[in-house]
Amino acid sequence: PTRKMSSPAELFSQLRELVRGSELTIMLSIGVGMIVWRMMGGGEKKDSQTKGKKEIKDRPNEVLQFRDYTRELLGQYNGTVMGKPLLMAIKGDVYNVTQGADFYGPGGPYGAFAGRDASRMLAKMQTAPDDQDPSVADLAPEEQDTLDNWANFFSGKYEKVGKLTE
């Protein structure tokens, strides 16, 4: 048997009958959904947050040659000095993470990693240094494995530009 296609007006009328009495519930649900969406940042342009990170990616950076970095020198590459790329160290290797400025630049979720040896934070899955930072001497075996996995990730994704010296 073939079914007769309903007109849009008939469909709307049928839908309205289905939700009659629950209009308030639907409206409240939509209202709450919109409030939550706005609270989560939906629809807002975050120019002030993304502008600095875009500038880090787009600005002319100094040309890096493979070299040794002291902790003090590495600290100058944390995204706060104009013209300098974002660098971070993992297990003694220094990587240029400028292309990941959204993550490693100032205000990014991993901004604490830039300009420093992030080995301990990565091993312990922390986004801020602890009292023992940057030591990795007390890492548990599973933390050492985590650190090794991160080192492999960074060596495959970012350019190695030097070695961290004491």
Side-chain angles (χ1 to χ4, degrees):
T2 58
R3 265 178 83 163
K4 179 183 167 198
M5 292 291 285
S6 300
S7 71
E10 290 173 331
L11 287 174
F12 180 75
S13 178
Q14 291 171 356
L15 179 62
R16 191 171 167 167
E17 288 300 317
L18 285 173
V19 296
R20 186 171 304 271
S22 57
E23 290 107 345
L24 181 60
T25 303
I26 291 171
M27 294 306 290
L28 285 174
S29 297
I30 291 171
V32 168
M34 290 179 70
I35 290 170
V36 169
W37 181 67
R38 290 292 299 198
M39 288 174 59
M40 302 283 289
E44 291 181 21
K45 292 188 178 182
K46 299 180 182 178
D47 290 340
S48 62
Q49 293 175 353
T50 58
K51 184 178 179 188
K53 294 171 193 168
K54 184 173 179 353
E55 288 172 358
I56 290 171
K57 287 183 189 178
D58 293 346
R59 68 183 169 195
N61 291 318
E62 71 181 62
V63 175
L64 297 175
Q65 294 181 357
F66 195 90
R67 62 173 293 176
D68 289 341
Y69 290 86
T70 63
R71 293 185 193 286
E72 182 181 345
L73 179 60
L74 184 60
Q76 296 175 18
Y77 294 87
N78 64 0
T80 61
V81 179
M82 185 58 108
K84 292 196 179 284
L86 291 169
L87 303 182
M88 63 184 276
I90 303 161
K91 292 183 67 173
D93 292 325
V94 178
Y95 294 95
N96 181 348
V97 296
T98 305
Q99 72 183 34
D102 293 340
F103 298 105
Y104 306 109
Y110 309 113
F113 296 171
R116 67 179 313 130
D117 181 355
S119 298
R120 183 177 183 86
M121 289 184 283
L122 288 166
K124 293 193 164 282
M125 303 296 284
Q126 300 170 333
T127 56
D130 63 19
D131 293 342
Q132 302 299 314
D133 193 68
S135 174
V136 293
D138 65 337
L139 294 181
E142 60 274 3
E143 292 171 328
Q144 186 62 51
D145 288 344
T146 300
L147 178 57
D148 291 342
N149 289 334
W150 279 115
N152 287 333
F153 169 79
F154 277 87
S155 69
K157 182 165 177 91
Y158 298 105
E159 176 189 11
K160 185 163 53 166
V161 295
K163 297 294 272 180
L164 185 62
T165 62
E166 292 299 318

